Amino acid sequence: MLKRSHYEGRKGLFATTGLLIAMAALFPALTSSCAALGENPGGERLRRIEASPHYVDGAFANLEPTPMNTGEDSSFKNYWNFLFNDWERIRPEVPLSMVKTDLESLPDGDLLLWLGHSSLYVQLEGVRMLVDPVFMDYASPVFFLNTAFKGDYPYSVEDFIARGVDVVLITHDHYDHLEMDTVHRLGRAGVTFICPLGVGQHLESWGVSPENILEGDWGDSLNLYGLNFNFVTARHFSGRFINGNQTLWTGYMIECKNGAPLYISGDSGYGTHFEELGERFPAPRLALLECGQYNPNWALIHMTPEETARAGADVMAKAVLPLHAGRFALSSHTWDDPYLRLEKACQAYDYQLLTPRMGEIVWLDGRPQSFTRWYADDAAREARYLKEEP
């Protein structure tokens, strides 16, 4: 009995030691995950939020009634089904096409690079911007959820810091648009952040100096580096954990001294705000519109490709470039569905559809340009791979 007791005591010691080692190993990840949640607004920032006409009964609200759940099942069941159903081709089986543009030799003209999903690098009248930059290979507080598609991502935030970044635009605080590590690194570089009301609290909690944070409400306008950044209505929601809609979500209409403005919709369901923007602003040289992660169960907070095509016409865009697809899967449609359907839907309108590969230069100076149907080529490559797979 003494031997057994001694042995089990050692087993207990080993088990406890193993647990402590495992906890110690996981502690940095757990701490980082908690920090990635950000912070709810407080103090003077909260007082400014409470004065907003768009903050109603303790939360921000859309201008049009926008129930989150438009399906027959509960929101919990919808989420459960998305996580655990075996959806077909929501993630490509092969790495998608992308271009590693040499940032050091990038010309100084007006241009942009689509960096996957909703992330952009933009050069406009000498101002260098990142929009919703997400460089990690997951878009969630933990590394094993919402992981990026297959393939080696060619860029890091340091690449753009080395290139030089003047402004970072944030549309809202969801994980696929706002990443703690990227914000921290850009904050140390002294970059100016422009974001909707309340999001500045997250940025400050991650080390960005308050002097480098400019927040706005729908209808506000900021003049910076000679550009006019207009905060314009979007139809969506916000939140990084339980408390939703404590920060605002927004689109941006960027007015320039030379040429038509640039429009970034941010995440948005279809609504009357697009037509109102078309009446309020000159026709954008390019509209960067959400097109992906749509679902009948949340039909009012994301656009179908057909709605994206219509939104481009509503704002009277000269060209449309789709965002919110190509790197993360947040819905059950196939990865290439947004591109195939948008390609067809845009035929009814007279603007140009631009579909660059990730990292490919898109010129904003009016020069003629065309892009391959890379999504069709990648789908064919995927089909060959699946056919050959043993």
Side-chain angles (χ1 to χ4, degrees):
M1 292 293 294
L2 286 174
K3 288 184 178 181
R4 183 182 179 193
S5 175
H6 176 66
Y7 173 70
E8 292 201 346
R10 290 178 63 189
K11 272 209 316 184
L13 177 61
F14 292 153
T16 302
T17 303
L19 179 60
L20 290 174
I21 292 172
M23 289 177 65
L26 288 173
F27 182 75
L30 294 173
T31 302
S32 177
S33 297
C34 290
L37 299 177
E39 292 181 357
N40 282 333
E44 182 58 36
R45 180 174 280 112
L46 180 57
R47 285 188 285 274
R48 184 184 177 192
I49 287 171
E50 291 171 339
S52 168
H54 309 117
Y55 192 77
V56 181
D57 296 330
F60 282 105
N62 288 292
L63 297 185
E64 299 178 72
T66 307
M68 289 285 295
N69 185 10
T70 53
E72 296 181 357
D73 295 325
S74 67
S75 296
F76 176 80
K77 187 173 182 180
N78 289 335
Y79 187 64
W80 181 272
N81 288 337
F82 169 66
L83 286 178
F84 298 107
N85 276 8
D86 188 18
W87 302 106
E88 184 179 357
R89 295 186 64 243
I90 68 170
R91 300 169 58 87
E93 293 295 328
V94 296
L96 297 184
S97 296
M98 59 183 69
V99 177
K100 173 64 171 175
T101 296
D102 183 5
L103 299 179
E104 291 185 4
S105 61
L106 198 63
D108 288 328
D110 289 357
L111 57 83
L112 67 80
L113 307 176
W114 173 56
L115 303 176
H117 202 66
S118 294
S119 299
L120 299 162
Y121 171 73
V122 182
Q123 291 181 180
L124 199 57
E125 298 187 1
V127 183
R128 298 175 179 181
M129 295 176 272
L130 283 171
V131 180
D132 287 351
V134 174
F135 292 100
M136 301 285 283
D137 57 2
Y138 59 95
S140 74
V142 290
F143 67 90
F144 52 85
L145 289 179
N146 198 17
T147 56
F149 293 167
K150 290 182 178 180
D152 294 328
Y153 191 65
Y155 297 107
S156 70
V157 65
E158 284 79 9
D159 294 332
F160 292 94
I161 292 174
R163 169 69 182 172
V165 177
D166 303 303
V167 177
V168 175
L169 288 183
I170 303 296
T171 62
H172 63 298
D173 70 1
H174 286 158
Y175 289 97
D176 54 326
H177 298 260
L178 181 63
E179 180 183 86
M180 179 183 68
D181 183 69
T182 292
V183 166
H184 178 66
R185 293 170 189 268
L186 288 165
R188 286 191 303 181
V191 176
T192 298
F193 286 79
I194 296 177
C195 60
L197 290 180
V199 174
Q201 190 75 45
H202 297 314
L203 306 184
E204 280 193 48
S205 74
W206 300 332
V208 180
S209 171
E211 292 77 20
N212 292 333
I213 300 172
L214 301 173
E215 294 177 78
D217 198 355
W218 296 333
D220 288 347
S221 182
L222 296 172
N223 190 277
L224 193 65
Y225 299 112
L227 299 177
N228 211 37
F229 296 89
N230 297 280
F231 293 79
V232 296
T233 307
R235 191 181 189 187
H236 198 53
F237 70 110
S238 68
R240 293 176 74 82
F241 191 48
I242 295 175
N243 294 331
N245 297 349
Q246 297 305 298
T247 64
L248 187 63
W249 47 98
T250 194
Y252 293 99
M253 189 72 77
I254 308 174
E255 294 179 289
C256 315
K257 292 179 181 178
N258 304 314
L262 187 71
Y263 173 49
I264 302 168
S265 73
D267 281 8
S268 180
Y270 185 77
T272 59
H273 59 285
F274 291 114
E275 189 171 355
E276 291 167 358
L277 289 174
E279 295 171 352
R280 178 182 167 194
F281 292 97
R285 69 178 81 178
L286 176 62
L288 297 127
L289 302 177
E290 180 218 84
C291 182
Q293 320 321 316
Y294 42 83
N295 194 298
N297 293 319
W298 49 84
L300 298 180
I301 56 173
H302 290 297
M303 289 190 286
T304 64
E306 293 74 23
E307 289 172 327
T308 299
R310 183 178 173 185
D314 286 350
V315 301
M316 298 190 292
K318 297 177 182 178
V320 165
L321 192 154
L323 301 179
H324 214 231
R327 191 157 181 246
F328 299 104
L330 301 169
S331 187
S332 56
H333 60 70
T334 61
W335 68 264
D336 56 346
D337 190 61
Y339 302 103
L340 296 172
R341 287 171 57 181
L342 183 63
E343 180 182 56
K344 183 177 180 180
C346 285
Q347 294 175 6
Y349 305 102
D350 60 1
Y351 54 73
Q352 184 182 12
L353 174 63
L354 305 180
T355 55
R357 293 171 292 173
M358 277 181 267
E360 195 168 6
I361 295 176
V362 179
W363 293 100
L364 301 175
D365 55 9
R367 72 180 67 182
Q369 55 192 330
S370 61
F371 301 96
T372 64
R373 298 179 70 244
W374 60 267
Y375 41 90
D377 295 338
D378 284 357
R381 184 160 50 88
E382 179 188 41
R384 292 193 298 270
Y385 169 80
L386 292 173
K387 185 176 181 180
E388 296 169 358
E389 189 178 37

Short mmCIF file of all heavy atoms in Angstrom, two decimals, residues 317-343:
data_model
loop_
_atom_site.label_atom_id
_atom_site.label_comp_id
_atom_site.label_asym_id
_atom_site.label_seq_id
_atom_site.Cartn_x
_atom_site.Cartn_y
_atom_site.Cartn_z
N ALA A 317 -20.67 54.56 -59.89
CA ALA A 317 -19.23 54.30 -59.99
C ALA A 317 -18.80 54.12 -61.44
O ALA A 317 -19.55 53.61 -62.27
CB ALA A 317 -18.87 53.06 -59.18
N LYS A 318 -17.57 54.55 -61.73
CA LYS A 318 -16.99 54.32 -63.05
C LYS A 318 -16.41 52.91 -63.15
O LYS A 318 -16.28 52.37 -64.25
CB LYS A 318 -15.92 55.37 -63.32
CG LYS A 318 -16.48 56.80 -63.36
CD LYS A 318 -15.38 57.82 -63.55
CE LYS A 318 -15.96 59.23 -63.55
NZ LYS A 318 -14.88 60.26 -63.69
N ALA A 319 -16.04 52.35 -62.01
CA ALA A 319 -15.52 50.99 -61.96
C ALA A 319 -15.83 50.41 -60.58
O ALA A 319 -15.98 51.14 -59.60
CB ALA A 319 -14.02 50.96 -62.23
N VAL A 320 -15.91 49.08 -60.51
CA VAL A 320 -16.21 48.37 -59.27
C VAL A 320 -15.16 47.29 -59.05
O VAL A 320 -14.78 46.58 -59.99
CB VAL A 320 -17.63 47.74 -59.32
CG1 VAL A 320 -17.81 46.71 -58.21
CG2 VAL A 320 -18.70 48.81 -59.23
N LEU A 321 -14.70 47.17 -57.81
CA LEU A 321 -13.77 46.12 -57.42
C LEU A 321 -14.35 45.42 -56.20
O LEU A 321 -14.63 46.07 -55.20
CB LEU A 321 -12.39 46.70 -57.12
CG LEU A 321 -11.22 45.72 -56.97
CD1 LEU A 321 -9.90 46.41 -57.30
CD2 LEU A 321 -11.14 45.14 -55.56
N PRO A 322 -14.57 44.10 -56.25
CA PRO A 322 -15.19 43.38 -55.13
C PRO A 322 -14.21 43.09 -54.00
O PRO A 322 -13.04 42.76 -54.23
CB PRO A 322 -15.68 42.09 -55.77
CG PRO A 322 -14.74 41.86 -56.91
CD PRO A 322 -14.35 43.23 -57.43
N LEU A 323 -14.70 43.20 -52.77
CA LEU A 323 -13.94 42.89 -51.57
C LEU A 323 -14.69 41.82 -50.76
O LEU A 323 -15.79 41.41 -51.11
CB LEU A 323 -13.75 44.13 -50.71
CG LEU A 323 -13.03 45.33 -51.31
CD1 LEU A 323 -12.98 46.48 -50.30
CD2 LEU A 323 -11.63 44.95 -51.75
N HIS A 324 -14.06 41.40 -49.65
CA HIS A 324 -14.68 40.52 -48.66
C HIS A 324 -14.78 39.07 -49.12
O HIS A 324 -15.66 38.32 -48.70
CB HIS A 324 -16.07 41.04 -48.27
CG HIS A 324 -16.41 40.76 -46.83
ND1 HIS A 324 -17.59 40.15 -46.44
CD2 HIS A 324 -15.73 41.00 -45.69
CE1 HIS A 324 -17.63 40.05 -45.13
NE2 HIS A 324 -16.51 40.56 -44.65
N ALA A 325 -13.85 38.66 -49.97
CA ALA A 325 -13.76 37.27 -50.39
C ALA A 325 -12.30 37.00 -50.75
O ALA A 325 -11.46 37.89 -50.77
CB ALA A 325 -14.67 37.01 -51.59
N GLY A 326 -11.98 35.72 -51.00
CA GLY A 326 -10.67 35.36 -51.50
C GLY A 326 -9.62 34.99 -50.46
O GLY A 326 -8.52 34.56 -50.83
N ARG A 327 -9.95 35.12 -49.15
CA ARG A 327 -8.93 34.76 -48.15
C ARG A 327 -9.51 34.07 -46.93
O ARG A 327 -8.83 33.24 -46.32
CB ARG A 327 -8.15 36.00 -47.72
CG ARG A 327 -6.91 35.67 -46.91
CD ARG A 327 -5.85 36.74 -46.92
NE ARG A 327 -4.72 36.30 -46.12
CZ ARG A 327 -4.32 36.86 -44.99
NH1 ARG A 327 -4.95 37.93 -44.52
NH2 ARG A 327 -3.30 36.38 -44.32
N PHE A 328 -10.73 34.40 -46.53
CA PHE A 328 -11.37 33.78 -45.38
C PHE A 328 -12.78 33.33 -45.76
O PHE A 328 -13.42 33.96 -46.62
CB PHE A 328 -11.47 34.76 -44.20
CG PHE A 328 -10.15 35.25 -43.69
CD1 PHE A 328 -9.70 36.52 -44.00
CD2 PHE A 328 -9.35 34.44 -42.90
CE1 PHE A 328 -8.48 36.99 -43.54
CE2 PHE A 328 -8.12 34.90 -42.43
CZ PHE A 328 -7.69 36.17 -42.75
N ALA A 329 -13.27 32.28 -45.13
CA ALA A 329 -14.64 31.80 -45.36
C ALA A 329 -15.47 32.07 -44.11
O ALA A 329 -15.18 31.54 -43.04
CB ALA A 329 -14.64 30.30 -45.68
N LEU A 330 -16.49 32.91 -44.27
CA LEU A 330 -17.38 33.24 -43.17
C LEU A 330 -18.83 32.89 -43.47
O LEU A 330 -19.73 33.25 -42.73
CB LEU A 330 -17.28 34.75 -42.86
CG LEU A 330 -15.89 35.26 -42.48
CD1 LEU A 330 -15.86 36.77 -42.46
CD2 LEU A 330 -15.48 34.70 -41.13
N SER A 331 -19.03 32.20 -44.58
CA SER A 331 -20.37 31.77 -44.94
C SER A 331 -20.27 30.46 -45.70
O SER A 331 -19.17 29.90 -45.87
CB SER A 331 -21.08 32.84 -45.78
OG SER A 331 -22.44 32.48 -45.99
N SER A 332 -21.40 29.96 -46.18
CA SER A 332 -21.45 28.61 -46.75
C SER A 332 -21.37 28.58 -48.27
O SER A 332 -21.43 27.50 -48.86
CB SER A 332 -22.73 27.91 -46.28
OG SER A 332 -23.88 28.69 -46.62
N HIS A 333 -21.27 29.73 -48.93
CA HIS A 333 -21.18 29.70 -50.39
C HIS A 333 -19.77 29.26 -50.81
O HIS A 333 -18.81 29.39 -50.06
CB HIS A 333 -21.54 31.06 -51.00
CG HIS A 333 -20.67 32.19 -50.56
ND1 HIS A 333 -19.35 32.34 -50.92
CD2 HIS A 333 -20.94 33.27 -49.77
CE1 HIS A 333 -18.85 33.43 -50.40
NE2 HIS A 333 -19.79 34.02 -49.68
N THR A 334 -19.64 28.77 -52.03
CA THR A 334 -18.33 28.35 -52.52
C THR A 334 -17.43 29.57 -52.65
O THR A 334 -17.89 30.70 -52.81
CB THR A 334 -18.45 27.65 -53.88
OG1 THR A 334 -19.00 28.56 -54.85
CG2 THR A 334 -19.34 26.43 -53.79
N TRP A 335 -16.12 29.33 -52.59
CA TRP A 335 -15.17 30.45 -52.56
C TRP A 335 -15.23 31.30 -53.82
O TRP A 335 -14.97 32.51 -53.79
CB TRP A 335 -13.76 29.93 -52.33
CG TRP A 335 -13.19 29.12 -53.47
CD1 TRP A 335 -13.19 27.75 -53.60
CD2 TRP A 335 -12.55 29.63 -54.65
NE1 TRP A 335 -12.60 27.38 -54.78
CE2 TRP A 335 -12.19 28.50 -55.45
CE3 TRP A 335 -12.24 30.89 -55.11
CZ2 TRP A 335 -11.55 28.63 -56.67
CZ3 TRP A 335 -11.59 31.03 -56.34
CH2 TRP A 335 -11.24 29.90 -57.11
N ASP A 336 -15.59 30.70 -54.97
CA ASP A 336 -15.60 31.44 -56.23
C ASP A 336 -16.97 31.98 -56.62
O ASP A 336 -17.10 32.72 -57.60
CB ASP A 336 -15.04 30.57 -57.37
CG ASP A 336 -15.78 29.24 -57.53
OD1 ASP A 336 -16.55 28.86 -56.62
OD2 ASP A 336 -15.59 28.57 -58.57
N ASP A 337 -17.99 31.66 -55.85
CA ASP A 337 -19.35 32.11 -56.16
C ASP A 337 -19.47 33.63 -56.26
O ASP A 337 -20.13 34.14 -57.17
CB ASP A 337 -20.33 31.56 -55.11
CG ASP A 337 -21.79 31.77 -55.49
OD1 ASP A 337 -22.20 31.23 -56.55
OD2 ASP A 337 -22.50 32.48 -54.76
N PRO A 338 -18.86 34.41 -55.35
CA PRO A 338 -18.99 35.87 -55.47
C PRO A 338 -18.50 36.41 -56.81
O PRO A 338 -19.14 37.29 -57.40
CB PRO A 338 -18.12 36.39 -54.32
CG PRO A 338 -18.08 35.28 -53.32
CD PRO A 338 -18.08 34.03 -54.15
N TYR A 339 -17.40 35.87 -57.31
CA TYR A 339 -16.83 36.38 -58.55
C TYR A 339 -17.65 35.97 -59.77
O TYR A 339 -17.90 36.78 -60.67
CB TYR A 339 -15.38 35.89 -58.69
CG TYR A 339 -14.52 36.32 -57.54
CD1 TYR A 339 -14.18 35.43 -56.52
CD2 TYR A 339 -14.08 37.64 -57.43
CE1 TYR A 339 -13.40 35.83 -55.45
CE2 TYR A 339 -13.30 38.05 -56.37
CZ TYR A 339 -12.97 37.14 -55.38
OH TYR A 339 -12.21 37.54 -54.31
N LEU A 340 -18.09 34.72 -59.80
CA LEU A 340 -18.86 34.24 -60.95
C LEU A 340 -20.21 34.96 -61.05
O LEU A 340 -20.62 35.37 -62.14
CB LEU A 340 -19.06 32.73 -60.83
CG LEU A 340 -17.79 31.89 -60.90
CD1 LEU A 340 -18.09 30.43 -60.58
CD2 LEU A 340 -17.13 32.01 -62.28
N ARG A 341 -20.87 35.13 -59.92
CA ARG A 341 -22.18 35.79 -59.95
C ARG A 341 -22.06 37.29 -60.20
O ARG A 341 -22.88 37.88 -60.92
CB ARG A 341 -22.93 35.51 -58.66
CG ARG A 341 -23.46 34.09 -58.57
CD ARG A 341 -24.02 33.75 -57.21
NE ARG A 341 -25.08 34.65 -56.78
CZ ARG A 341 -25.71 34.55 -55.60
NH1 ARG A 341 -25.37 33.57 -54.77
NH2 ARG A 341 -26.67 35.40 -55.27
N LEU A 342 -21.03 37.92 -59.61
CA LEU A 342 -20.86 39.35 -59.84
C LEU A 342 -20.49 39.63 -61.30
O LEU A 342 -20.99 40.59 -61.90
CB LEU A 342 -19.77 39.90 -58.93
CG LEU A 342 -19.52 41.41 -59.01
CD1 LEU A 342 -20.76 42.19 -58.59
CD2 LEU A 342 -18.33 41.82 -58.15
N GLU A 343 -19.66 38.79 -61.87
CA GLU A 343 -19.29 38.93 -63.28
C GLU A 343 -20.53 38.95 -64.17
O GLU A 343 -20.65 39.77 -65.08
CB GLU A 343 -18.36 37.77 -63.65
CG GLU A 343 -17.87 37.76 -65.08
CD GLU A 343 -17.02 36.54 -65.34
OE1 GLU A 343 -17.50 35.39 -65.11
OE2 GLU A 343 -15.86 36.71 -65.76
#
